[in-house]
Amino acid sequence: MVFNYWLTVCESAASSSSQNIVVCGYPLSIFFIVVNEFCERFSYYGMRAVLVLYFRYFLRWDDDLATSIYHAFVALCYLTPILGAIVADSWLGKFKTIIYLSIVYALGQIVMAISAIHDITDTDKDGTPDNMTFHVTLSMVGLILIALGTGGIKPCVAAFGGDQFEDHQERQRSTFFSVFYLCINAGSLLSTIITPILRAQECGIHTQQKCYSLAFGVPAALMVVALVVFIAGSGMYYKAEPQGNIMLDVCKCIGFAVKNRFRHRSTEFPKRTHWMDWAEDKYEKLLIAQIKMVLKVLFLYIPLPMFWTLFDQKGSRWTLQATTMDGNFGLLVLQPDQMQTVNPILILTLVPIMDSVIYPLIRKCGLNFTPLRRMTVGMFLAAMAFIAAALVQIEIDKTLPVFPSDIQSQVKTINLGSNPLTLTLSQQTVQLAPGQASDYFTFDEDIVMVSIGNPSITRNIGLAKGKRQSIIFPSNISKEFYTLQTDDLTAKPEQGNNAIRFVSETYPLNISSGGVAYVITDGSLYSNYSLIKYGLTVFTIESGGESCEYSREFGFGSSYTFIIPSLFTFGPNCAASIGVAEDIKPNSVHMALQIPQYFLITAGEVVFSVTGLEFSYSQAPSNMKAVLQAGWLFTVAVGNFIVLIVAELAQIPEQWAEYVLFASLLVAVCLIFSVMAHFYTYMDPAEIEAQFRKKDDDHEVRRDKTDKRDSQKSKKTSLEMHEDMGSDSKQSKM
């Protein structure tokens, strides 16, 4: 109630003189709108940049589920604009709609930030939430609120900004929309640079983990700022009253036409030229003609969702692909989710190049590069981007280790002794120097026979299916020799980190680096894995008052076992005796290889999306441009639903094959669209509308003439009747 009262006071202030303040020829109110849009886009794209990694590494979902929920969220964001447009035009008006839904939006961002605080349910303080249902529920509620907010205000903010200009400010209005689009891309660019950096930080009360709460918290703060800035300009805005929603009128007219056609489906009723003509019994012919034009364009939209199916995967599949790549660019080390910044950078570069260089050159060559042909080329470029992504994935797969299947086991051996060791594993001979480890051997059997020495000492060791294990041989090997088996990693370390552990039979031994301790308890011989970042790491080894420093440069996504043999001694050259076993090789395919696929998908976006919006605007009736805008956004939503379906149902084991599948589908759709475009006849909506209005005017003129003649005739008849009545009166008096 207090908020509604305050909002009413703000609205009453709109009539004050502050509304007419002009700065450099522009209404002062638009500066509040531009800042609001920048903050809102920063909030949305910043949250979305890290979202799929949050699903994958915080909520612990697999790649397919993380991809599906990500695209379900994006689809919802492009469905809710229809709801926002209806609410704004039919009920609340743009100003109140933006205010109310921005509050919902900000609450959603705050809920997302809270859902990413692992300490809330980490009762055992091991760094992992103990009640994942709590975090999943909060995140889903937050995403639904965000989708309602960002989608609901999407069709309102730009239109509300356009409302602030008067009729004589056409040039300023055009400049405003250019600046508005620039703010969208600037917010997107900055957020996709900053929020991945925030995510890569470590935070927490009890244990330090990746700081997703900060990565979501900053966008939440920016959304609150956007809301405050927008409210601050309240007294300066021109607030148009709701005038009714044309989308509802269109839906009602189409519904009546379908219903009327169904009622008159028997052969006794004459056929009509177009099925929409059945609405003539209730609606004006001009409205029906406008709907026909809209339906003609919407029919062309049918193949378009497939483009968005591919385009929006740069935030999901391509980001997950980057986690298995090397992000070291020399002076700059990129996080996997920061590769998305290539898209807005290329947009800001390619849009002016296309408009001022490429398109004029094509025209000079005498080619008729129509909007629909441009869109066809854009779809083809997107397909080629996924072919490039498939080629990159093939290169990545070549560098990935071969992990055991469900019916296999893999074993490696480690020599902790001070003497060389010769052993046999099921007829495979291995020679190990002190502090050395073998490569992994793959076995299909449940038990492997290990033989050592001459004469040989033999022992059968049971293996675990689907796992990697290390067999550690201590320095003293008796007739019943002692071994220890460890469970090794069977997947790449998460988010490009490196998994490190130490093996030693020296006890007590304290090993630490950057606040991380590698604890080897008495009799265990090995420490647990700890994750460390890219770069140089210095390990400090201490025992009995003596210490040794061992340093190593790490890449991305590797796993190492450092072996401290029994002959290890402290001193100036202590690090030389430490053995290194590379369990999983670091990522060797560079992230720069993703740039071609980003270039192709962005070029496709510029040719497809910008041209598509221009085409839709030119082919739409004057009062139905919002209808086609809603139809355009709906194709984005459908495209994301397609990703969701394919990711969950296709279950393609090889990622490169999935990329090829998507590319093939888009090429097929591209061919279908080219055929549809060939038979499309471009329209001039203004001319068609003018013809119907002229017919209506002519009809009105003819009706006026008829009414005039009828009026004159009626007047004449009335006069004659009056004269007759006067004659009768005279006769009666006589």
Side-chain angles (χ1 to χ4, degrees):
M1 292 296 292
V2 174
F3 179 78
N4 286 333
Y5 170 77
W6 181 88
L7 196 59
T8 304
V9 172
C10 289
E11 287 178 325
S12 65
S15 59
S16 65
S17 59
S18 61
Q19 182 178 330
N20 299 321
I21 296 177
V22 175
V23 178
C24 300
Y26 294 87
L28 181 61
S29 57
I30 68 157
F31 293 96
F32 293 90
I33 297 172
V34 166
V35 173
N36 165 270
E37 181 65 14
F38 171 81
C39 294
E40 187 275 326
R41 289 290 88 185
F42 185 104
S43 177
Y44 174 72
Y45 283 108
M47 178 276 303
R48 197 173 118 171
V50 301
L51 187 59
V52 74
L53 297 184
Y54 168 74
F55 291 155
R56 180 65 183 85
Y57 299 120
F58 187 94
L59 299 183
R60 316 304 300 178
W61 292 342
D62 59 29
D63 287 359
D64 289 339
L65 182 57
T67 300
S68 298
I69 301 300
Y70 173 88
H71 287 283
F73 165 71
V74 175
L76 188 59
C77 288
Y78 283 95
L79 284 176
T80 49
I82 299 174
L83 177 63
I86 293 174
V87 170
D89 292 344
S90 304
W91 180 27
L92 294 177
K94 299 183 186 71
F95 176 73
K96 284 187 177 180
T97 301
I98 294 171
I99 292 289
Y100 291 146
L101 290 182
S102 292
I103 294 173
V104 173
Y105 193 167
L107 287 175
Q109 292 282 32
I110 293 170
V111 170
M112 279 298 296
I114 295 173
S115 75
I117 302 175
H118 65 276
D119 285 314
I120 292 178
T121 61
D122 186 14
T123 53
D124 57 5
K125 301 179 182 180
D126 65 348
T128 304
D130 298 322
N131 185 1
M132 196 60 75
T133 303
F134 171 82
H135 295 276
V136 171
T137 302
L138 271 188
S139 61
M140 293 302 101
V141 170
L143 289 178
I144 291 172
L145 294 176
I146 291 170
L148 288 173
T150 186
I153 68 175
K154 192 186 292 290
C156 299
V157 178
F160 186 72
D163 290 344
Q164 307 309 306
F165 295 89
E166 298 180 7
D167 294 339
H168 66 277
Q169 295 177 306
E170 286 295 331
R171 182 182 61 82
Q172 289 89 342
R173 182 186 284 114
S174 177
T175 304
F176 162 74
F177 283 116
S178 298
V179 173
F180 190 84
Y181 184 73
L182 180 65
C183 286
I184 292 174
N185 284 279
S188 169
L189 176 61
L190 287 177
S191 63
T192 48
I193 292 173
I194 294 172
T195 52
I197 295 175
L198 300 177
R199 176 196 61 81
Q201 306 305 309
E202 293 186 344
C203 60
I205 300 173
H206 307 301
T207 56
Q208 299 293 300
Q209 300 294 330
K210 295 296 183 183
C211 206
Y212 288 98
S213 56
L214 182 61
F216 291 143
V218 170
L222 263 291
M223 192 57 225
V224 173
V225 170
L227 177 60
V228 171
V229 168
F230 186 77
I231 293 176
S234 174
M236 304 179 190
Y237 298 139
Y238 166 74
K239 306 180 184 75
E241 292 296 324
Q243 299 296 323
N245 197 307
I246 188 64
M247 283 192 288
L248 290 178
D249 295 336
V250 170
C251 293
K252 289 178 181 178
C253 185
I254 292 174
F256 179 79
V258 173
K259 188 189 300 183
N260 203 27
R261 176 68 185 90
F262 183 77
R263 286 176 185 164
H264 301 84
R265 61 186 180 276
S266 63
T267 55
E268 62 183 83
F269 296 100
K271 293 184 178 180
R272 302 196 181 184
T273 307
H274 192 280
W275 63 271
M276 274 303 302
D277 294 334
W278 288 98
E280 291 179 353
D281 297 346
K282 185 177 180 181
Y283 293 90
E284 296 179 356
K285 289 186 177 181
L286 176 59
L287 176 63
I288 295 171
Q290 291 170 330
I291 293 176
K292 287 179 182 178
M293 288 186 277
V294 168
L295 292 176
K296 189 176 179 181
V297 178
L298 290 178
F299 177 72
L300 278 179
Y301 282 2
I302 293 175
L304 302 190
M306 201 64 214
F307 173 86
W308 302 113
T309 297
L310 276 67
F311 177 78
D312 280 329
Q313 288 191 60
K314 60 183 173 55
S316 56
R317 289 297 198 201
W318 287 11
T319 299
L320 293 173
Q321 184 186 64
T323 61
T324 60
M325 304 178 76
D326 182 1
N328 182 15
F329 284 80
L331 297 176
L332 182 66
V333 177
L334 285 185
Q335 299 296 322
D337 33 359
Q338 284 182 314
M339 278 302 292
Q340 298 176 56
T341 58
V342 175
N343 177 250
I345 291 172
L346 287 174
I347 286 178
L348 296 175
T349 305
L350 289 178
V351 168
I353 291 177
M354 287 289 185
D355 288 338
S356 59
V357 179
I358 303 299
Y359 293 154
L361 283 177
I362 292 175
R363 283 194 295 269
K364 284 187 177 181
C365 294
L367 298 175
N368 185 19
F369 201 33
T370 62
L372 292 180
R373 289 177 182 174
R374 293 182 194 178
M375 293 172 68
T376 305
V377 171
M379 296 168 78
F380 181 76
L381 288 173
M384 293 303 99
F386 265 63
I387 294 297
L391 294 175
V392 171
Q393 189 63 47
I394 291 173
E395 291 301 312
I396 293 173
D397 291 345
K398 290 178 181 177
T399 66
L400 295 177
V402 179
F403 294 111
S405 66
D406 293 337
I407 60 173
Q408 293 178 325
S409 303
Q410 289 185 343
V411 174
K412 76 185 308 178
T413 55
I414 298 175
N415 180 15
L416 279 180
S418 56
N419 298 313
L421 185 65
T422 300
L423 54 92
T424 303
L425 281 80
S426 295
Q427 302 180 353
Q428 298 187 62
T429 302
V430 182
Q431 293 183 340
L432 299 176
Q436 187 180 11
S438 69
D439 294 329
Y440 282 102
F441 295 97
T442 303
F443 298 98
D444 295 327
E445 302 86 4
D446 295 330
I447 297 175
V448 62
M449 185 175 65
V450 180
S451 300
I452 301 176
N454 189 14
S456 64
I457 303 172
T458 303
R459 181 181 171 186
N460 291 329
I461 298 178
L463 304 179
K465 295 295 184 181
K467 288 188 176 182
R468 278 185 161 190
Q469 294 178 299
S470 293
I471 303 177
I472 303 175
F473 294 93
S475 55
N476 295 322
I477 300 177
S478 61
K479 185 173 183 181
E480 292 293 331
F481 63 84
Y482 167 75
T483 62
L484 188 67
Q485 293 170 254
T486 68
D487 288 337
D488 301 351
L489 295 182
T490 54
K492 275 268 190 181
E494 298 176 349
Q495 306 183 60
N497 289 317
N498 303 279
I500 307 302
R501 68 176 177 178
F502 282 83
V503 176
S504 174
E505 61 180 349
T506 303
Y507 184 81
L509 195 66
N510 299 319
I511 308 169
S512 62
S513 66
V516 178
Y518 300 84
V519 180
I520 303 176
T521 59
D522 186 17
S524 68
L525 301 185
Y526 66 95
S527 69
N528 291 326
Y529 283 104
S530 294
L531 298 178
I532 62 173
K533 297 180 180 179
Y534 162 88
L536 180 67
T537 300
V538 178
F539 300 94
T540 302
I541 305 171
E542 296 178 321
S543 181
E546 296 183 289
S547 65
C548 170
E549 287 193 347
Y550 175 75
S551 62
R552 187 175 182 89
E553 188 86 24
F554 293 99
F556 297 88
S558 63
S559 176
Y560 291 93
T561 298
F562 294 109
I563 306 166
I564 303 177
S566 57
L567 52 77
F568 172 82
T569 56
F570 290 96
N573 298 321
C574 60
S577 60
I578 297 177
V580 180
E582 189 178 64
D583 301 336
I584 298 176
K585 293 182 178 181
N587 302 343
S588 57
V589 179
H590 203 275
M591 280 188 195
L593 287 181
Q594 281 194 321
I595 293 177
Q597 66 200 56
Y598 272 99
F599 176 82
L600 288 169
I601 200 77
T602 307
E605 177 192 7
V606 171
V607 177
F608 177 87
S609 182
V610 176
T611 304
L613 290 172
E614 176 190 343
F615 167 78
S616 300
Y617 189 88
S618 67
Q619 298 296 289
S622 57
N623 63 336
M624 294 192 184
K625 299 187 185 298
V627 177
L628 279 183
Q629 176 69 14
W632 180 267
L633 295 176
F634 185 73
T635 65
V636 182
V638 175
N640 281 274
F641 278 125
I642 293 174
V643 183
L644 189 155
I645 293 169
V646 172
E648 286 299 316
L649 298 182
Q651 297 293 325
I652 300 175
E654 300 293 338
Q655 186 58 56
W656 67 266
E658 184 179 289
Y659 289 147
V660 172
L661 172 63
F662 279 118
S664 302
L665 290 174
L666 185 55
V667 169
V669 168
C670 184
L671 294 174
I672 295 171
F673 181 76
S674 63
V675 174
M676 295 170 64
H678 177 73
F679 290 100
Y680 181 83
T681 304
Y682 288 86
M683 304 175 294
D684 186 351
E687 182 179 341
I688 295 174
E689 289 174 330
Q691 291 174 358
F692 275 89
R693 289 193 176 99
K694 184 179 179 182
K695 289 179 182 178
D696 291 342
D697 291 341
D698 292 342
H699 178 70
E700 190 69 26
V701 170
R702 287 195 299 270
R703 190 173 65 180
D704 289 344
K705 289 181 178 179
T706 302
D707 291 345
K708 188 176 181 181
R709 287 196 301 268
D710 292 343
S711 176
Q712 291 174 348
K713 184 177 179 181
S714 175
K715 186 176 180 181
K716 182 179 179 182
T717 304
S718 176
L719 184 59
E720 291 174 347
M721 290 178 63
H722 179 72
E723 291 175 350
D724 292 340
M725 288 178 65
S727 175
D728 293 340
S729 178
K730 287 179 181 179
Q731 290 176 2
S732 95
K733 284 180 180 179
M734 290 174 66

